Amino acid sequence: MNLTHLNAQGEAHMVDVTDKAETSREAVASGCVFMQPATLALLVEGGLPKGDVLATARIAGIQAAKRTHELIPLCHALALSKVSVDFLINHEQHCVEVSATCRLTGRTGVEMEALTAVSVACLTLYDMCKAVDKSMQIEAIRLDSKTGGKSGDYRRAGYTSEAPIVTGEGDTGEVSLRERCPTAGVRVKFLAELRERLATSESFVSLDELPTSDIAGLKAVLAQRDPRFALLNEQRTLCAINQVMANDTARITDDDEIAFFPPVTGG
Amino acid sequence: MSDIKNMADIEIRVQSDAFAITHGYPETLNGRTDIGAVVSFTGLVRDFNEAPDVTGLSLEHYPGMTENTLHAIAEQAWQRWTLQAVRVVHRVGHLQPGDPIVRVLVASAHRRDAFQACDFIMDLLKTEAPFWKKEHAKSGDYWVKERHTDQTDAQRWSSS
């Protein structure tokens, strides 16, 4: 096996890709920013001094992917056809999981672009939160999968292109004590495609924030926090209170579990 | 309608493990001689759907609500037709083309009840049970869109 960025004399050079076939290529990379639980709580609530952390980190990651060739000496400049950066809040391990997907039809792979997007999104998360937490750690930046190109497909061992199965409190058959909400309020879950579009899996809303104690009131509070939550008002978005389907006028009470999700597609 | 329904007559399973394509059949018969008809439906992962070259599928669900919803659908079928057993198994997690994804088995004394109840359960499962599919294709991953025909299929049962 050879290192393609070294020529016969062992000098660094840029690979000539003129004669390589154009194929559809995709790369997925991920990383993790570990932080204090209190920092994560502030991040989720939008209480950090620099504002919306995830939205900013997403834009930073996308911009970085487009400029990879300026940072990494022997990378080609690529016209990416898609860059997406997603976040998953992991409350158990108090970290933000960052993943980036890059795609194009071309002659070179997009692994470096995906890795750069994740790296810069992680750095931006750090920058946005460092006022309250300097002990954050950026870890496990790695390539999860790549498809297309001469070297074929790669999938990191243990990587299952995760639409994680949403587990509630503990796995099936396990009993776990639920963390009690600090003040009277409701936990709000976002499932499946909606979770990905919102880049968040869970929020907490205290009862005294609600203009009216129903689903419509909850949607209003969330939309005020972040314009992305306008998605909840789309007609196709469904809602359940304590796992029973509900509409906008359904009443909310303390400690309810509210879930928003897209139309179902099982079977 | 059967007067006595044991807990074992309705079985709902949501699992990440694979199941046999005969799942439910031997368990349901199990030496019984009062069953006159068994109708089962098995759904498989296709290698083409919205994309032509599907390489895999990830199934997400809402634990708790999923089982409750499937139970409620089976109960409705039990009320509507004269049945002797209903078994539903649905997989979650990562699946590959060719894998069985769902299986519904209905037993009754006469065939019409079993045929209709099985059809009914699948129609309601498709439109009410909180499962979501993400397909992995060579051209990328995407969430499967809901189908209008599934809604109209399910509505057939509310008008009759």
Side-chain angles (χ1 to χ4, degrees):
Chain A
M1 177 160 289
N2 292 320
L3 295 172
T4 55
H5 287 329
L6 297 181
N7 65 13
Q9 286 77 45
E11 299 156 349
H13 82 140
M14 198 156 156
V15 178
D16 184 349
V17 296
T18 319
D19 297 330
K20 286 172 96 173
E22 290 213 339
T23 59
S24 169
R25 293 149 182 277
E26 184 183 82
V28 181
S30 64
C32 228
V33 184
F34 288 87
M35 58 188 70
Q36 299 294 324
T39 313
L40 188 63
L42 279 173
L43 185 153
V44 171
E45 288 162 20
L48 286 158
K50 289 194 178 180
D52 190 333
V53 175
L54 297 183
T56 312
R58 173 181 288 110
I59 296 298
I62 293 170
Q63 289 290 83
K66 293 195 287 186
R67 308 183 73 158
T68 302
H69 69 285
E70 293 175 20
L71 300 168
I72 312 293
L74 302 176
C75 269
H76 296 81
L78 302 179
L80 295 169
S81 56
K82 174 201 164 130
V83 184
S84 70
V85 177
D86 289 305
F87 304 98
L88 195 65
I89 306 291
N90 184 331
H91 286 282
E92 283 78 51
Q93 302 191 44
H94 35 92
C95 66
V96 179
E97 297 169 18
V98 181
S99 77
T101 304
C102 291
R103 200 180 293 164
L104 92 168
T105 301
R107 296 188 171 90
T108 80
V110 285
E111 302 94 294
M112 290 314 300
E113 283 68 19
L115 286 163
T116 303
V118 167
S119 303
V120 172
C122 287
L123 287 171
T124 306
L125 280 175
Y126 189 98
D127 180 51
M128 298 290 285
C129 304
K130 70 179 187 297
V132 296
D133 186 355
K134 295 192 174 44
S135 67
M136 288 177 289
Q137 294 195 47
I138 298 174
E139 291 183 19
I141 296 182
R142 54 198 178 177
L143 181 68
D144 289 332
S145 71
K146 63 150 285 203
T147 55
K150 196 177 65 177
S151 68
D153 294 354
Y154 165 82
R155 185 170 277 257
R156 174 168 64 74
Y159 173 67
T160 50
S161 155
E162 287 162 68
I165 305 158
V166 176
T167 40
E169 326 300 330
D171 291 332
T172 315
E174 277 180 21
V175 178
S176 69
L177 292 174
R178 187 146 74 113
E179 203 182 320
R180 189 61 204 171
C181 300
T183 53
V186 293
R187 280 174 198 283
V188 190
K189 291 183 171 193
F190 309 102
L191 309 182
E193 186 183 17
L194 194 62
R195 176 189 61 244
E196 293 190 354
R197 291 176 73 191
L198 294 169
T200 184
S201 57
E202 206 170 313
S203 282
F204 174 79
V205 175
S206 65
L207 288 185
D208 51 22
E209 287 177 85
L210 296 173
T212 52
S213 300
D214 55 17
I215 295 296
L218 177 66
K219 286 180 179 174
V221 172
L222 290 167
Q224 220 166 21
R225 282 191 192 170
D226 192 312
R228 278 177 296 152
F229 287 113
L231 281 175
L232 302 182
N233 281 316
E234 283 185 359
Q235 213 185 347
R236 67 192 286 272
T237 301
L238 305 174
C239 177
I241 300 179
N242 298 326
Q243 308 198 334
V244 177
M245 296 301 291
N247 59 21
D248 272 4
T249 57
R251 303 275 303 162
I252 293 177
T253 53
D254 185 22
D255 214 30
D256 278 348
E257 176 180 290
I258 319 279
F260 289 100
F261 44 82
V264 303
T265 54
Chain B
M1 192 185 304
S2 323
D3 294 332
I4 309 153
K5 184 180 73 183
N6 297 314
M7 288 296 284
D9 293 337
I10 292 183
E11 184 197 62
I12 305 296
R13 285 188 187 211
V14 178
Q15 60 186 50
S16 50
D17 294 337
F19 57 82
I21 54 167
T22 54
H23 178 90
Y25 194 80
E27 300 91 320
T28 299
L29 292 181
N30 196 24
R32 283 174 73 164
T33 50
D34 59 329
I35 292 173
V38 175
V39 170
S40 67
F41 168 85
T42 309
L44 311 169
V45 181
R46 275 192 305 268
D47 67 358
F48 68 94
N49 193 31
E50 288 174 33
D53 47 6
V54 175
T55 56
L57 183 74
S58 295
L59 251 157
E60 182 172 323
H61 78 126
Y62 186 10
M65 183 168 175
T66 316
E67 292 83 350
N68 293 341
T69 307
L70 293 175
H71 234 285
I73 294 169
E75 286 283 350
Q76 283 183 60
W78 201 276
Q79 304 291 330
R80 261 177 110 131
W81 292 280
T82 305
L83 305 178
Q84 292 168 319
V86 175
R87 289 174 187 267
V88 180
V89 58
H90 201 297
R91 282 189 69 187
V92 292
H94 200 74
L95 283 85
Q96 294 185 335
D99 285 347
I101 181 168
V102 61
R103 182 166 158 86
V104 174
L105 179 144
V106 179
S108 61
H110 304 285
R111 72 179 183 285
R112 190 73 58 213
D113 285 330
F115 270 123
Q116 293 198 346
C118 189
D119 198 13
F120 169 87
I121 291 168
M122 269 313 296
D123 281 349
L124 269 71
L125 180 152
K126 295 283 283 186
T127 49
E128 292 182 5
F131 292 103
W132 299 277
K133 283 181 190 146
K134 190 181 206 181
E135 285 181 348
H136 312 295
K138 291 194 181 126
S139 49
D141 297 350
Y142 54 88
W143 289 93
V144 172
K145 287 272 170 289
E146 68 275 20
R147 287 175 190 232
H148 181 66
T149 49
D150 287 336
Q151 289 294 337
T152 48
D153 284 348
Q155 279 157 13
R156 291 183 300 148
W157 303 104
S158 49
S159 54
S160 61

